mmCIF file of all heavy atoms in Angstrom:
data_model
loop_
_atom_site.group_PDB
_atom_site.id
_atom_site.type_symbol
_atom_site.label_atom_id
_atom_site.label_comp_id
_atom_site.label_asym_id
_atom_site.label_seq_id
_atom_site.Cartn_x
_atom_site.Cartn_y
_atom_site.Cartn_z
ATOM 1 N N GLN S 432 -38.211 -0.155 -18.166
ATOM 2 C CA GLN S 432 -37.657 -1.444 -18.730
ATOM 3 C C GLN S 432 -38.334 -1.859 -19.974
ATOM 4 O O GLN S 432 -37.789 -2.393 -20.891
ATOM 5 C CB GLN S 432 -37.721 -2.477 -17.548
ATOM 6 C CG GLN S 432 -36.660 -3.618 -17.883
ATOM 7 C CD GLN S 432 -35.253 -3.220 -18.016
ATOM 8 O OE1 GLN S 432 -34.841 -2.837 -19.123
ATOM 9 N NE2 GLN S 432 -34.475 -3.294 -16.964
ATOM 10 N N ARG S 433 -39.703 -1.552 -19.993
ATOM 11 C CA ARG S 433 -40.473 -1.942 -21.240
ATOM 12 C C ARG S 433 -39.934 -1.114 -22.497
ATOM 13 O O ARG S 433 -39.795 -1.599 -23.545
ATOM 14 C CB ARG S 433 -41.985 -1.716 -21.078
ATOM 15 C CG ARG S 433 -42.598 -2.903 -20.286
ATOM 16 C CD ARG S 433 -43.962 -2.486 -19.811
ATOM 17 N NE ARG S 433 -44.317 -3.367 -18.773
ATOM 18 C CZ ARG S 433 -45.154 -4.465 -18.931
ATOM 19 N NH1 ARG S 433 -45.583 -4.764 -20.088
ATOM 20 N NH2 ARG S 433 -45.473 -5.258 -18.004
ATOM 21 N N VAL S 434 -39.651 0.178 -22.191
ATOM 22 C CA VAL S 434 -39.201 1.078 -23.328
ATOM 23 C C VAL S 434 -37.809 0.632 -23.750
ATOM 24 O O VAL S 434 -37.507 0.474 -24.919
ATOM 25 C CB VAL S 434 -39.080 2.490 -22.804
ATOM 26 C CG1 VAL S 434 -38.330 3.384 -23.886
ATOM 27 C CG2 VAL S 434 -40.457 3.092 -22.579
ATOM 28 N N ASN S 435 -36.979 0.262 -22.706
ATOM 29 C CA ASN S 435 -35.652 -0.252 -22.908
ATOM 30 C C ASN S 435 -35.730 -1.501 -23.811
ATOM 31 O O ASN S 435 -34.915 -1.675 -24.730
ATOM 32 C CB ASN S 435 -35.043 -0.622 -21.599
ATOM 33 C CG ASN S 435 -33.580 -0.686 -21.627
ATOM 34 O OD1 ASN S 435 -32.835 -0.339 -22.606
ATOM 35 N ND2 ASN S 435 -32.932 -1.371 -20.646
ATOM 36 N N PHE S 436 -36.737 -2.295 -23.656
ATOM 37 C CA PHE S 436 -36.832 -3.636 -24.347
ATOM 38 C C PHE S 436 -37.406 -3.270 -25.763
ATOM 39 O O PHE S 436 -36.982 -3.844 -26.741
ATOM 40 C CB PHE S 436 -37.728 -4.565 -23.570
ATOM 41 C CG PHE S 436 -37.647 -5.957 -24.101
ATOM 42 C CD1 PHE S 436 -36.555 -6.653 -23.777
ATOM 43 C CD2 PHE S 436 -38.647 -6.461 -24.868
ATOM 44 C CE1 PHE S 436 -36.412 -8.024 -24.339
ATOM 45 C CE2 PHE S 436 -38.568 -7.689 -25.440
ATOM 46 C CZ PHE S 436 -37.492 -8.520 -25.151
ATOM 47 N N ALA S 437 -38.335 -2.347 -25.838
ATOM 48 C CA ALA S 437 -38.920 -1.983 -27.142
ATOM 49 C C ALA S 437 -37.910 -1.392 -28.030
ATOM 50 O O ALA S 437 -37.904 -1.594 -29.289
ATOM 51 C CB ALA S 437 -40.058 -0.851 -26.898
ATOM 52 N N ARG S 438 -36.882 -0.747 -27.458
ATOM 53 C CA ARG S 438 -35.800 -0.180 -28.243
ATOM 54 C C ARG S 438 -35.015 -1.263 -28.933
ATOM 55 O O ARG S 438 -34.611 -1.096 -30.170
ATOM 56 C CB ARG S 438 -34.878 0.658 -27.381
ATOM 57 C CG ARG S 438 -33.847 1.389 -28.210
ATOM 58 C CD ARG S 438 -33.078 2.400 -27.422
ATOM 59 N NE ARG S 438 -32.360 1.789 -26.348
ATOM 60 C CZ ARG S 438 -31.507 2.481 -25.526
ATOM 61 N NH1 ARG S 438 -31.369 3.693 -25.728
ATOM 62 N NH2 ARG S 438 -30.899 1.750 -24.601
ATOM 63 N N ALA S 439 -34.800 -2.368 -28.218
ATOM 64 C CA ALA S 439 -34.078 -3.551 -28.864
ATOM 65 C C ALA S 439 -35.013 -4.112 -29.928
ATOM 66 O O ALA S 439 -34.612 -4.525 -31.020
ATOM 67 C CB ALA S 439 -33.754 -4.511 -27.829
ATOM 68 N N LEU S 440 -36.288 -4.169 -29.732
ATOM 69 C CA LEU S 440 -37.327 -4.814 -30.659
ATOM 70 C C LEU S 440 -37.365 -3.973 -31.909
ATOM 71 O O LEU S 440 -37.615 -4.476 -33.007
ATOM 72 C CB LEU S 440 -38.687 -4.853 -30.011
ATOM 73 C CG LEU S 440 -38.864 -5.970 -28.955
ATOM 74 C CD1 LEU S 440 -40.423 -5.878 -28.495
ATOM 75 C CD2 LEU S 440 -38.695 -7.282 -29.486
ATOM 76 N N ALA S 441 -37.139 -2.614 -31.779
ATOM 77 C CA ALA S 441 -37.283 -1.779 -32.932
ATOM 78 C C ALA S 441 -36.293 -2.227 -34.036
ATOM 79 O O ALA S 441 -36.566 -1.918 -35.248
ATOM 80 C CB ALA S 441 -36.901 -0.308 -32.533
ATOM 81 N N ALA S 442 -35.234 -2.845 -33.746
ATOM 82 C CA ALA S 442 -34.351 -3.202 -34.788
ATOM 83 C C ALA S 442 -34.766 -4.538 -35.494
ATOM 84 O O ALA S 442 -34.107 -4.942 -36.468
ATOM 85 C CB ALA S 442 -32.905 -3.484 -34.166
ATOM 86 N N ASP S 443 -35.800 -5.136 -35.025
ATOM 87 C CA ASP S 443 -36.204 -6.478 -35.558
ATOM 88 C C ASP S 443 -35.201 -7.489 -35.410
ATOM 89 O O ASP S 443 -34.734 -8.119 -36.443
ATOM 90 C CB ASP S 443 -36.692 -6.365 -36.995
ATOM 91 C CG ASP S 443 -37.978 -5.840 -37.200
ATOM 92 O OD1 ASP S 443 -38.867 -6.038 -36.316
ATOM 93 O OD2 ASP S 443 -38.200 -5.119 -38.261
#
Side-chain angles (χ1 to χ4, degrees):
Chain S
Q432 199 55 280
R433 281 166 198 265
V434 171
N435 199 14
F436 196 74
R438 185 169 63 170
L440 287 179
D443 279 330

